[in-house]
């Protein structure tokens, strides 16, 4: 599968529902965790991810093919999350201690991230600014290039670079405060 | 947290719901839109028809005998193009039977003439029909009575007419030639009560002509076509005091279809010493016309 593009084409042009099912299986978890960095609530993020797939199924937007399918999908998800935040008119930032969805989130993290070190890193990210969380998630967990991350976040590459730098420093100091060290940062 | 299958199931369920809702919405819109569109179309056609005068009754001019002085009755431009038969009918409607027994309404020119002349009017929509414009005179007070069955009438000469009207035409007589020997008539009942008098004097010379109508019992009237800008109310000073005269500049007569002279006709209407005058001048200069009006008003 070429990053989901062919699956989406099958669904869009041939009404093959399995194409959309493949996309959901492939991208759901990553998208939820990415959207979670926006809304700070794993269930809301799950609903927003669902909304993203529903939008693909109903509006059937055309992928202009400028970037990878994953970048395009995350951009759609981001737009939906922003709309949600505008409607709810307040950004729900919740600390990891207060998170009642901890169990679900932990399961998802373990299932998706797998690496123990990265899971620790992801948990530490919860205390960062949403923008830092988003960029760190895209670059360090999804493996997006700076250009792809910039495209998803609708920023210039230079701005994204600066954002990554600041986010990384912020996370590093947070980890140091909690007694962790992460060499890759 | 849902597993993959649950998420996939939920997503397709919502997609189906969306499609169903959209289909239902489209049906509702179609159901509402068709009658609404029909109604809008009917309204639009109605407005178009009304504005376009599609239902206009061409045979009638809405010129009533105004009871209020100065009332302007608008003539639709189409009326200017009506043929002579239509207009004759109209003239009867407007003026009633104010021509005495045996008299005929002014002769109308051919319809071809009228259409040619109407083209001389630069903007027919601006033309207004004026009738009974004499200041401070109510048409209802001086409307021409219908000659009753038991009446008798008598034609009279210029001397009899001038004596009856008590107007001195000597000034006019010096320049113009009276073109008619029978200058008027009166109608009386058997008990010698005056019903109506109507006097008409036609003066001519080699340049132009005047038609002077005068009556003590009614206002000699005609429907004239005139652009609004050319109506001038003025005061003619006389030895007996001021006389309020309404001049119409370049006019044409609806009655007579006298459109050919639309650029050369002037009309003055006024009331003086209990006599209602209407003076129409053709091919006369404004100065001469004023002099003539002044002479009559000083008579």
């Amino acid at each position: 599968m070429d990053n989901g593009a062919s699956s989406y084409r099958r669904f869009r042009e041939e009404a093959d529902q399995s194409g959309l099912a493949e996309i959901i299986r492939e991208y759901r978890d990553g998208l939820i965790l990415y959207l979670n960095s926006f809304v700070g609530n794993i269930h809301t993020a799950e609903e927003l991810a669902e909304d993203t797939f529903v939008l693909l199924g109903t509006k059937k937007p055309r992928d202009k093919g400028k970037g990878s399918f994953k970048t395009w999908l995350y951009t759609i998800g981001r737009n939906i999350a922003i709309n949600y935040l505008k409607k709810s008119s307040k950004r729900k930032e919740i600390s990891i201690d207060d998170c009642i969805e901890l169990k679900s989130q932990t399961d998802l993290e373990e299932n998706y991230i797998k690496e123990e070190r990265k899971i620790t890193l992801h948990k530490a990210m919860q205390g960062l600014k949403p923008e830092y969380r988003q960029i760190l998630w895209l670059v360090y967990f999804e493996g997006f290039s700076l250009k792809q991350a910039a495209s998803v976040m609708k920023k210039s590459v230079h701005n994204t670079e600066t954002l990554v730098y600041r986010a990384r420093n912020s996370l590093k100091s947070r980890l140091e405060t909690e007694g962790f060290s992460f060499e890759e940062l | 947290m849902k597993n993959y299958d649950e998420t996939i199931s939920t997503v397709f369920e919502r997609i189906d719901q969306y499609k169903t809702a959209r289909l239902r919405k489209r049906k509702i819109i179609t159901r509402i839109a068709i009658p609404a569109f029909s109604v809008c179309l009917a309204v639009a056609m109605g407005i178009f028809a009304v504005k376009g005068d599609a239902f206009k009754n061409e045979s009638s001019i809405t010129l009533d005998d105004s009871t209020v002085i100065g009332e302007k009755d608008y003539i639709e431009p189409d009326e200017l193009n009506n043929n002579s038969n239509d207009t004759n009918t109209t003239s009867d409607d407007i003026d009633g039977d104010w021509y005495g027994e045996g008299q005929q309404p002014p002769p109308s020119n051919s319809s071809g003439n009228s259409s040619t002349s109407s083209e001389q009017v630069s903007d027919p929509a601006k033309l207004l029909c004026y009738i009974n414009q004499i200041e401070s005179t109510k048409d209802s007070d001086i409307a021409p009575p219908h000659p009753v069955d038991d009446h008798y009438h008598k034609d009279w000469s210029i001397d009899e007419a001038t004596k009856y009207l008590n107007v001195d035409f000597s000034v006019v007589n010096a320049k113009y030639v009276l073109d008619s020997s029978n200058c008027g008539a009166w109608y009386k009942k058997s008990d010698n009560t005056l019903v109506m008098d109507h006097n008409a004097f036609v003066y001519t010379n080699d340049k132009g002509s005047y038609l002077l109508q005068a009556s003590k019992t009614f206002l000699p009237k005609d429907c004239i076509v005139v652009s609004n800008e050319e109506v001038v109310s003025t005061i003619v000073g006389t030895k007996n005091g001021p006389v309020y005269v309404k001049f119409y500049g370049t006019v044409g007569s609806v009655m007579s279809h006298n459109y050919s002279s639309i650029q050369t006709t002037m009309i003055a209407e006024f009331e003086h010493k209990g006599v209602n005058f209407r003076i129409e001048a053709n091919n006369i200069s404004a100065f001469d016309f004023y002099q003539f009006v002044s002479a009559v008003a000083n008579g």
Side-chain angles (χ1 to χ4, degrees), chain A residues 21-169:
Chain A
E22 284 170 12
I23 291 168
I24 293 171
R25 281 199 182 87
E26 179 72 18
Y27 295 110
R28 187 197 75 158
D29 292 349
L31 188 60
I32 290 172
L33 287 169
Y34 170 60
L35 296 176
N36 185 44
S37 66
F38 267 91
V39 295
N41 182 304
I42 198 71
H43 283 310
T44 305
E46 188 184 6
E47 284 170 13
L48 293 176
E50 248 181 45
D51 289 347
T52 307
F53 295 124
V54 169
L55 188 141
L56 287 185
T58 53
K59 306 284 184 190
K60 296 183 178 175
R62 187 182 292 272
D63 178 12
K64 293 174 184 171
K66 287 182 179 174
S68 71
F69 177 79
K70 190 177 182 180
T71 310
W72 181 66
L73 180 68
Y74 274 47
T75 307
I76 294 172
R78 179 181 182 273
N79 291 338
I80 288 174
I82 288 172
N83 284 342
Y84 167 80
L85 290 172
K86 280 181 186 168
K87 283 179 186 171
S88 62
S89 74
K90 62 178 182 180
R91 194 178 293 245
K92 291 180 181 174
E93 294 194 45
I94 50 175
S95 73
I96 197 164
D97 297 330
D98 297 332
C99 183
I100 57 171
E101 323 297 342
L102 185 59
K103 180 73 172 58
S104 297
Q105 186 169 330
T106 306
D107 289 347
L108 189 64
E109 281 170 340
E110 286 173 356
N111 186 42
Y112 189 72
I113 302 173
K114 292 187 174 67
E115 286 182 53
E116 186 65 33
R117 286 189 316 150
K118 282 197 172 184
I119 292 171
T120 308
L121 192 66
H122 188 251
K123 286 187 192 307
M125 278 165 53
Q126 302 306 315
L128 300 179
K129 284 165 61 176
E131 206 173 31
Y132 290 171
R133 292 202 306 254
Q134 291 160 35
I135 193 67
L136 288 174
W137 173 260
L138 290 177
V139 173
Y140 286 102
F141 291 83
E142 294 290 1
F144 278 28
S145 68
L146 283 177
K147 192 178 176 185
Q148 286 174 320
S151 168
V152 172
M153 295 189 70
K154 303 272 175 62
K155 288 179 182 296
S156 70
V157 176
H158 178 71
N159 279 351
T160 309
E161 210 169 3
T162 310
L163 191 64
V164 169
Y165 176 77
R166 287 178 182 165
R168 197 171 55 187
N169 283 346

Side-chain angles (χ1 to χ4, degrees), chain A residues 17 20-21 24-25 28-29 32 43 46 50-51 54 57-59 108, chain B residues 1-8 10-12 14-16 18-19 22:
Chain A
Q17 294 199 340
L20 186 61
I24 293 171
R25 281 199 182 87
R28 187 197 75 158
D29 292 349
I32 290 172
H43 283 310
E46 188 184 6
E50 248 181 45
D51 289 347
V54 169
T58 53
K59 306 284 184 190
L108 189 64
Chain B
M1 194 80 193
K2 293 174 186 172
N3 62 34
Y4 291 126
D5 289 337
E6 284 172 339
T7 303
I8 290 168
T10 307
V11 167
F12 282 115
R14 285 178 60 187
I15 290 171
D16 287 342
Y18 172 84
K19 285 178 179 172
R22 195 172 61 170

Side-chain angles (χ1 to χ4, degrees), chain B residues 91-203:
Chain B
S91 71
D92 290 343
D93 291 344
I94 294 167
D95 281 349
D97 298 324
W98 63 271
Y99 301 101
E101 263 192 358
Q103 286 184 292
Q104 294 299 317
S108 59
N109 293 344
S110 69
S111 57
N113 232 356
S114 80
S115 63
T116 305
S117 302
S118 67
E119 287 169 8
Q120 297 172 9
V121 181
S122 58
D123 185 0
K126 280 187 171 181
L127 296 178
L128 299 167
C129 182
Y130 283 86
I131 192 163
N132 298 335
Q133 291 289 313
I134 291 180
E135 301 284 352
S136 309
T137 309
K138 282 189 178 178
D139 181 53
S140 56
D141 294 341
I142 53 174
H146 293 269
V148 291
D149 290 339
D150 61 344
H151 79 280
Y152 62 98
H153 88 276
K154 182 188 174 188
D155 295 333
W156 52 28
S157 66
I158 180 66
D159 293 334
E160 290 173 304
T162 50
K163 189 178 176 185
Y164 170 76
L165 295 170
N166 194 25
V167 175
D168 181 8
F169 290 118
S170 57
V171 178
V172 189
N173 287 332
K175 279 192 172 180
Y176 299 89
V177 178
L178 186 64
D179 203 25
S180 172
S181 55
N182 294 322
C183 296
W186 51 255
Y187 299 78
K188 287 183 177 176
K189 287 183 184 177
S190 52
D191 62 357
N192 210 31
T193 312
L194 183 66
V195 178
M196 184 179 82
D197 71 295
H198 181 222
N199 306 278
F201 308 88
V202 179
Y203 285 94

Side-chain angles (χ1 to χ4, degrees), chain B:
Chain B
M1 194 80 193
K2 293 174 186 172
N3 62 34
Y4 291 126
D5 289 337
E6 284 172 339
T7 303
I8 290 168
S9 165
T10 307
V11 167
F12 282 115
E13 216 169 87
R14 285 178 60 187
I15 290 171
D16 287 342
Q17 283 173 0
Y18 172 84
K19 285 178 179 172
T20 310
R22 195 172 61 170
L23 203 66
R24 193 170 54 239
K25 204 180 287 181
R26 190 176 293 172
K27 279 182 182 174
I28 291 169
I29 289 171
T30 309
R31 204 165 52 219
I32 293 170
I34 290 173
F37 177 74
S38 305
V39 170
C40 288
L41 191 67
V43 169
M45 286 177 71
I47 291 170
F48 177 77
V50 169
K51 290 216 168 188
D53 290 337
F55 303 122
K56 187 179 171 189
N57 183 3
E58 292 186 0
S59 64
S60 66
I61 296 178
T62 55
L63 293 174
D64 55 351
D65 285 346
S66 307
T67 55
V68 181
I69 298 307
E71 183 175 331
K72 299 167 187 173
D73 296 310
Y74 179 70
I75 287 189
E76 294 293 341
D78 290 351
E79 300 293 339
L80 298 174
N81 297 322
N82 282 348
N83 60 37
S84 58
N85 290 335
D86 288 341
T87 311
N88 278 340
T89 307
T90 302
S91 71
D92 290 343
D93 291 344
I94 294 167
D95 281 349
D97 298 324
W98 63 271
Y99 301 101
E101 263 192 358
Q103 286 184 292
Q104 294 299 317
S108 59
N109 293 344
S110 69
S111 57
N113 232 356
S114 80
S115 63
T116 305
S117 302
S118 67
E119 287 169 8
Q120 297 172 9
V121 181
S122 58
D123 185 0
K126 280 187 171 181
L127 296 178
L128 299 167
C129 182
Y130 283 86
I131 192 163
N132 298 335
Q133 291 289 313
I134 291 180
E135 301 284 352
S136 309
T137 309
K138 282 189 178 178
D139 181 53
S140 56
D141 294 341
I142 53 174
H146 293 269
V148 291
D149 290 339
D150 61 344
H151 79 280
Y152 62 98
H153 88 276
K154 182 188 174 188
D155 295 333
W156 52 28
S157 66
I158 180 66
D159 293 334
E160 290 173 304
T162 50
K163 189 178 176 185
Y164 170 76
L165 295 170
N166 194 25
V167 175
D168 181 8
F169 290 118
S170 57
V171 178
V172 189
N173 287 332
K175 279 192 172 180
Y176 299 89
V177 178
L178 186 64
D179 203 25
S180 172
S181 55
N182 294 322
C183 296
W186 51 255
Y187 299 78
K188 287 183 177 176
K189 287 183 184 177
S190 52
D191 62 357
N192 210 31
T193 312
L194 183 66
V195 178
M196 184 179 82
D197 71 295
H198 181 222
N199 306 278
F201 308 88
V202 179
Y203 285 94
T204 57
N205 65 11
D206 54 346
K207 292 178 183 174
S209 65
Y210 287 102
L211 167 64
L212 183 145
Q213 295 181 76
S215 175
K216 285 185 178 179
T217 53
F218 73 100
L219 170 64
K221 57 187 178 180
D222 196 355
C223 187
I224 56 170
V225 181
V226 58
S227 74
N228 197 29
E229 297 81 29
E230 293 172 292
V231 181
V232 179
S233 289
T234 189
I235 299 172
V236 177
T238 72
K239 62 188 177 189
N240 301 314
V243 172
Y244 295 89
V245 176
K246 190 169 282 276
F247 282 103
Y248 303 104
T250 53
V251 301
S253 167
V254 168
M255 299 293 189
S256 60
H257 276 222
N258 196 15
Y259 297 115
S260 59
S261 62
I262 196 162
Q263 297 298 326
T264 60
T265 300
M266 288 184 290
I267 292 175
E269 291 174 336
F270 57 97
E271 187 264 342
H272 178 51
K273 290 199 291 188
V275 181
N276 302 302
F277 289 97
R278 185 177 192 279
I279 303 175
E280 182 178 326
N282 291 300
N283 295 323
I284 305 292
S285 71
F287 180 75
D288 280 357
F289 182 63
Y290 186 86
Q291 272 200 325
F292 182 84
V293 171
S294 188
V296 173
N298 275 296

